[in-house]
Amino acid sequence: MSTDKLVDFDEVLTRYEPVIGLETHVELGTASKMFCGCSTTFGAEPNTQTCPVCLGLPGSLPVANAMAIESTIRIGLALGCRIATWCRFARKNYFYPDIPKGFQTTQYDEPLCTAGHLDVEVDGETYRVEIERVHLEEDTGKNLHVGGSTGRIHGADHSLIDYNRAGIPLVEIVTRPIPGAGAKAPEVAKAYVTELREILLALGVSEVRMEQGNLRCDVNTSLAPIGSLEWGTRTETKNVNSLRSVERAVRFEMRRQAAVLDTDGRVFQETRHFHEDTGTTSPGRSKEEATDYRYFPEPDLVPVAPDEEWVGKLAAALPELPAARRVRLSDEWGISPTEMAWLVNAGAVELVSDTVAAGASPADARKWWLGELARRANDAGTDLAALAVTPAQVAELIGLISGGTINDQLARQALDGVLAGEGGPAQVVEARGLAVMGESDELVAAVDAAIEGNPDVADKVRGGKVQAIGALVGAVMKTTRGKADAATVKRMLEERLTVS
Ligand SMILES: [Zn+2]
């Protein structure tokens, strides 16, 4: 897809210093839209959730959604922002089919929340991400390009528009430029979005499903020669739709821009698209000519003036935030901050917590999510949370192991079945016949066969070379295809080989 030349990532850092920045759009989970009473339910028939207000028909008048304003203030408070005592909505004028009004109602020079910060941790080091602003606006409709192979407008026969999404409250969270992360820049970007997502979840303001577009990220990246007093020209990679992709997008842009700068080329200030399949970016619209949006204060809406008492109440009622919660959970689970950081980086805190809540021990829950399940997510190229297994199912699997029904190896096979959609762990164990063999006739026969088949080894054990028994256990496990319990097999062998 991309013919860009790339510099090795480690080499980039020998000559250049990256600066990143993130703009995150969060669709709020309010029942109705930002300026009208239309429903916001995801996945409804196209254009069934519209009205004269969100379609911008003449004579219709908007009314701001109080719950959306409250949610935005709560996000601002959780990020340590200053909350405006008075601010207005503005019209951002542009013509595009997905915006039926001919303008987007947003906030321009009077955002609701400003000057916050979010601390993120990468490899034991804390990076402070300054938040420039958090403002409230409305989402656009969705264009659907039909007839082409890519779903993009290029090559399509015709385009359809669904206005169900138009007017859904959208919060934009903009960071200040983040310098100084060096080689960790891709991970800091990912850690920031991960932490932000956790906060939004804790606040309960959005479903934050990246795959449904509830949370969309634009990632800015620039490079400057080491020691340079000026920052380089940045590119803006649009709609990066998974946590993993945030990291990949920064990494790719750093490698691509280094190659451009190495040949005395110029990095263009432009919008780029990220491609999930190849992990590359390609140019979109050029930002050489800044669009004049002719912003002006929205005349149809009254200013927003949150009074101090209300904001104080909202601040006092904020839930336990993820950072504080992690400290508490580390304590409850008896793990170190470093071990907690591994869980955070793997996006596994909630998953482990839910697995523990479903009855598993913290140690077992961590072992499965960070071990086998992390490996499978990595192989599948997805985030841990996107795996087709629930924390309750993982707890069930762990229960089957501790109850002696299956061992770790059989559990991995049971997991295959769960991930393939064959049902819950117990169901798969039953259907695939995975239960550990008890001291059945079949197992007795396998043990006897192992002794008969390996007389030399058996003699060694009889002669006192106890560790040689491992080879016999292995032989039994092989004939029983892993279904026997190794400890039971060992005990049975010992009983037969002990010289009395
Ligand atoms: Zn409407």
Side-chain angles (χ1 to χ4, degrees), residues 33 36-38 49-51 53-54:
K33 290 188 181 179
C36 61
C38 287
Q49 298 175 163
T50 58
C51 74
V53 174
C54 56

Side-chain angles (χ1 to χ4, degrees), residues 148-164:
S149 57
T150 59
R152 305 274 284 274
I153 195 164
H154 181 78
D157 296 332
H158 59 284
S159 296
L160 300 167
I161 307 176
D162 177 7
Y163 286 126
N164 283 352

Side-chain angles (χ1 to χ4, degrees), residues 99-356:
I99 195 110
K101 301 193 292 188
F103 61 85
Q104 180 189 32
T105 308
T106 178
Q107 293 195 288
Y108 181 48
D109 48 357
E110 299 171 7
L112 195 46
C113 321
T114 50
H117 66 267
L118 180 58
D119 289 336
V120 298
E121 203 172 304
V122 172
D123 293 342
E125 213 162 314
T126 303
Y127 296 84
R128 172 151 292 197
V129 177
E130 306 278 353
I131 307 289
E132 186 173 298
R133 59 189 282 152
V134 178
H135 76 240
L136 188 50
E137 59 188 32
E138 60 181 334
D139 210 347
T140 60
K142 240 182 188 164
N143 292 333
L144 212 70
H145 305 296
V146 186
S149 57
T150 59
R152 305 274 284 274
I153 195 164
H154 181 78
D157 296 332
H158 59 284
S159 296
L160 300 167
I161 307 176
D162 177 7
Y163 286 126
N164 283 352
R165 204 179 67 175
I168 289 185
L170 197 64
V171 170
E172 182 170 334
I173 302 161
V174 184
T175 71
R176 292 182 59 76
I178 310 160
K184 300 288 182 209
E187 286 151 90
V188 169
K190 181 187 173 192
Y192 165 77
V193 182
T194 306
E195 185 69 8
L196 184 61
R197 191 175 170 276
E198 298 278 331
I199 289 177
L200 296 165
L201 272 173
L203 293 172
V205 293
S206 168
E207 290 187 40
V208 289
R209 294 209 182 121
M210 291 187 89
E211 72 282 5
Q212 282 189 9
N214 297 146
L215 182 69
R216 314 198 286 269
C217 247
D218 300 341
V219 185
N220 298 334
T221 313
S222 72
L223 287 185
I226 287 178
S228 162
L229 294 176
E230 273 175 41
W231 289 342
T233 305
R234 67 188 167 91
T235 59
E236 183 180 348
T237 306
K238 281 282 186 193
N239 291 338
V240 183
N241 288 334
S242 76
L243 295 172
R244 198 167 158 267
S245 299
V246 171
E247 182 175 346
R248 292 166 82 209
V250 174
R251 198 173 290 274
F252 179 83
E253 270 303 288
M254 285 172 66
R255 298 180 61 199
R256 185 189 70 82
Q257 291 182 18
V260 173
L261 296 170
D262 275 352
T263 53
D264 283 334
R266 211 183 127 206
V267 172
F268 292 102
Q269 184 173 346
E270 63 186 356
T271 300
R272 297 182 69 88
H273 296 291
F274 183 72
H275 305 281
E276 290 280 344
D277 46 350
T278 52
T280 61
T281 67
S282 64
R285 166 176 104 235
S286 165
K287 275 208 174 169
E288 288 289 291
E289 298 152 52
T291 318
D292 180 4
Y293 291 119
R294 293 174 293 120
Y295 283 99
F296 63 85
E298 167 60 61
D300 288 343
L301 286 164
V302 292
V304 181
D307 71 70
E308 224 173 288
E309 197 193 330
W310 182 40
V311 174
K313 268 188 196 155
L314 293 178
L318 284 183
E320 182 186 31
L321 292 176
R325 182 157 180 265
R326 284 197 297 272
V327 172
R328 178 173 60 78
L329 288 177
S330 301
D331 207 38
E332 284 175 20
W333 297 346
I335 61 174
S336 68
T338 310
E339 287 170 311
M340 181 50 87
W342 292 339
L343 289 174
V344 173
N345 287 341
V349 178
E350 291 308 314
L351 297 167
V352 169
S353 173
D354 290 349
T355 307
V356 171

